[in-house]
Amino acid sequence: MEQVNGDTLAAARKVVAVHINYPSRAAQRGRTPAQPSYFLKPSSSLAVSGSPVERPAGCELLGYEGEIALIIGKATRRVSMEDAWSHVAAVTASNDLGVYDLRWADKGSNLRSKGGDGFTPLGPALIPADAVDPANLRIRTWHNGQLVQDDTTEDLLFPFARLVADLSQLLTLEEGDIILTGTPAGASVAKPGDVLEVEVSAGDLTTGHLVTTVEQGTTAFAEFGAQPKVDDLQREEAYGSREAAGLPAPQPALSAELKAKLESVATATLSSQMRKRGLNNVSIDGLQATRPDRRVVGLARTLRYVPNREDLFKTHGGGFNAQKRAIDSVNEGEILVMEARGEKGTGTVGDILALRAQVRGAAAIITDGGVRDYTAVAGLEMPTYFANPHPAVLGRRHIPWDTDITIACGGATVQPGDIIVADSDGILVIPPAIAEELVADCIQQEKEETFIFEMVKQGNSVDGLYPMNSDWQAKYKEWAGSND
């Protein structure tokens, strides 16, 4: 087989890389794109096997991503998916290297973070494309001899032929151009002195090991350009998890203890205690529940719909829109709250998306708009709170616009991270900063009300008892002491 050499690198006028393509990577990232998306890497980032790569001075997070590279064999423009593979000359191994320290300055372009010299090594051998089934390739990556990535192309989100055909709709893929086809789960961070190896194979055919050694850069970035900077979010993304990055597990904003306390007190008690604190506009009103027997407590995630405008629906309503992104990113125990402006003339969620939210562990969905497929939605274990059933599709009245912002729902303002308590008596929005103090006072209030109820049951008048005067307060303290 031919080897990747200087001529191979010189023939590449452009390098196109796919963001997410392997289901394992999508699961790790917590998002599954509906369509492929791309970024460009400069051809000057290409290197052959055995070339070192520099971790720039001042940078901490040099990420590696083993990938399968497609080498275009002839000019390709507006090719069909059926014919696309015939335009690929060869496949080889690649490593999509980049420094997370510069992502903040890229605004999504990845030029600074992934465009450095040597950041796209290829090789060592080229496997002829006509000798393999593109859905039956294997990719493996080793970090200092340890296997860290091992996946196949059998169930890619976007098969290789689709990538070639899709790109060719807009631009001409020229002979020698390179497409990096995404990385599976397991990508992580390399340090100076580390050795990275990537291999692509198909049965007995193999590219051999693409070898890259990491070196430490010594030339600092000049002050006239963006400086490297990282935070724990970038560390988590670079290493693949907080645990792998050596970061402590995030403390839940809603601890199990606080959640249990909130579940133990009535919404009426919570409402009265918030009213004492001057919070009178914290109830989501006018909704009904698919599961009125359930009581749910969780943190709010938010989704906002805007009124439909046909031209904007074309750009924001289709594909992996804000509605699908919100559903597909809601986490265990969270409550998705939707702003639909009280518009009842269409559905804002249906059975499939509601089921997806339930599968992801959502505690509930709350919308001040309509629900489609009501019978199926009502049959789910997860409660949905809604204005009314309606058979119309989303686009009749709404455009899914944005997520995780401050919204209005049922007359109440809801922010991401607010605590939602919902049951058959109503839905309350609790600012998390006051939750601990609030629930403590609620528990105290309900204990007092239990005493009052017992006293009334014994035949006592409510005069002076409800609320309690000083005499009854003294009796209550005695009762409370004996019932602790």
Side-chain angles (χ1 to χ4, degrees):
M1 289 187 293
E2 291 185 31
Q3 301 292 300
V4 172
N5 54 34
D7 291 340
T8 311
L9 307 189
R13 298 184 61 179
K14 51 186 171 290
V15 181
V16 184
V18 179
H19 281 109
I20 294 178
N21 198 12
Y22 286 78
S24 61
R25 180 70 162 179
Q28 187 180 47
R29 289 295 201 204
R31 57 183 184 272
T32 303
Q35 303 291 339
S37 61
Y38 313 93
F39 60 94
L40 286 169
K41 300 190 75 170
S43 56
S44 55
S45 71
L46 294 170
V48 296
S49 182
S51 301
V53 66
E54 178 183 289
R55 187 182 74 175
C59 290
E60 172 189 335
L61 303 175
L62 175 66
Y64 61 83
E65 300 175 3
E67 305 205 11
I68 298 172
L70 311 182
I71 313 297
I72 298 299
K74 56 185 176 181
T76 305
R77 179 73 164 116
R78 295 197 177 99
V79 68
S80 68
M81 285 179 55
E82 293 73 20
D83 190 41
W85 189 245
S86 69
H87 289 247
V88 178
V91 299
T92 192
S94 182
N95 198 334
D96 182 15
L97 296 157
V99 281
Y100 283 73
D101 311 61
L102 294 174
R103 288 177 82 189
W104 71 272
D106 273 342
K107 306 300 182 184
S109 73
N110 286 343
L111 178 60
R112 283 177 173 269
S113 60
K114 288 191 173 243
D117 288 355
F119 278 18
T120 318
L122 296 174
L126 296 170
I127 300 176
D130 60 7
V132 298
D133 176 359
N136 193 27
L137 297 173
R138 184 183 186 187
I139 179 164
R140 289 181 290 177
T141 303
W142 292 263
H143 184 181
N144 291 332
Q146 180 180 356
L147 182 65
V148 291
Q149 291 183 292
D150 189 354
D151 212 331
T152 73
T153 57
E154 182 178 5
D155 58 353
L156 292 177
L157 299 176
F158 313 112
F160 293 161
R162 180 173 174 179
L163 299 178
V164 174
D166 183 37
L167 286 166
S168 77
Q169 294 184 91
L170 185 63
L171 53 90
T172 299
L173 296 171
E174 299 163 301
E175 182 179 354
D177 283 352
I178 295 166
I179 301 174
L180 305 184
T181 57
T183 194
S188 189
V189 172
K191 298 177 180 179
D194 288 355
V195 177
L196 303 169
E197 299 171 79
V198 184
E199 180 191 30
V200 175
S201 58
D204 295 333
L205 298 175
T206 177
T207 60
H209 283 216
L210 168 68
V211 180
T212 306
T213 302
V214 181
E215 298 180 347
Q216 177 59 57
T218 57
T219 304
F221 286 96
E223 293 183 358
F224 51 74
Q227 301 299 304
K229 63 179 181 180
V230 296
D231 54 24
D232 284 352
L233 176 60
Q234 293 303 322
R235 292 185 179 96
E236 181 180 353
E237 291 234 330
Y239 281 93
S241 69
R242 293 185 66 86
E243 180 181 8
L247 300 171
Q251 295 299 311
L254 180 60
S255 67
E257 181 181 6
L258 176 57
K259 183 173 183 287
K261 289 179 180 179
L262 288 167
E263 289 171 338
S264 73
V265 296
T267 50
T269 310
L270 288 165
S271 180
S272 66
Q273 285 294 331
M274 283 196 284
R275 193 161 55 249
K276 288 180 180 180
R277 290 163 169 78
L279 294 169
N280 296 302
N281 300 297
V282 289
S283 64
I284 297 175
D285 298 330
L287 306 185
Q288 53 186 306
T290 59
R291 302 300 299 265
D293 56 316
R294 296 294 178 85
R295 179 179 176 84
V296 295
V297 178
L299 295 180
R301 296 286 299 277
T302 60
L303 166 65
R304 181 168 70 105
Y305 295 106
V306 297
N308 185 31
R309 205 179 87 185
E310 287 75 7
D311 61 323
L312 294 177
F313 192 88
K314 289 179 180 178
T315 57
H316 290 77
F320 199 57
N321 60 31
Q323 178 199 44
K324 292 177 181 176
R325 293 198 304 273
I327 292 288
D328 219 44
S329 65
V330 67
N331 296 313
E332 183 81 25
E334 293 179 336
I335 296 175
L336 181 58
V337 186
M338 301 179 179
E339 175 186 334
R341 312 176 310 284
E343 170 56 63
K344 300 179 180 181
T346 192
T348 54
V349 67
D351 57 346
I352 293 175
L353 293 184
L355 176 61
R356 175 61 175 159
Q358 176 177 286
V359 168
R360 287 193 58 83
I365 291 176
I366 298 172
T367 174
D368 61 356
V371 164
R372 295 183 69 222
D373 312 305
Y374 170 74
T375 300
V377 173
L380 297 176
E381 286 294 314
M382 178 194 69
T384 295
Y385 298 81
F386 62 103
N388 61 282
H390 200 284
V393 296
L394 183 72
R396 182 169 184 258
R397 298 285 175 85
H398 299 299
I399 306 173
W401 198 254
D402 46 14
T403 62
D404 294 319
I405 59 167
T406 300
I407 64 167
C409 181
T413 298
V414 182
Q415 293 191 300
D418 281 344
I419 298 173
I420 305 295
V421 179
D423 62 13
S424 57
D425 282 341
I427 307 169
L428 295 176
V429 183
I430 300 174
I434 68 167
E436 291 282 2
E437 173 192 302
L438 179 77
V439 76
D441 288 348
C442 286
I443 291 171
Q444 177 64 28
Q445 177 182 327
E446 292 198 344
K447 191 172 183 179
E448 292 176 359
E449 290 176 351
T450 298
F451 168 75
I452 294 169
F453 185 86
E454 289 296 324
M455 296 304 101
V456 171
K457 188 176 180 180
Q458 292 175 18
N460 293 284
S461 170
V462 295
D463 185 26
L465 174 61
Y466 187 52
M468 291 186 287
N469 58 24
S470 58
D471 289 340
W472 278 113
Q473 285 282 357
K475 292 177 182 178
Y476 165 72
K477 289 180 181 179
E478 182 180 348
W479 175 88
S482 62
N483 284 274
D484 281 341

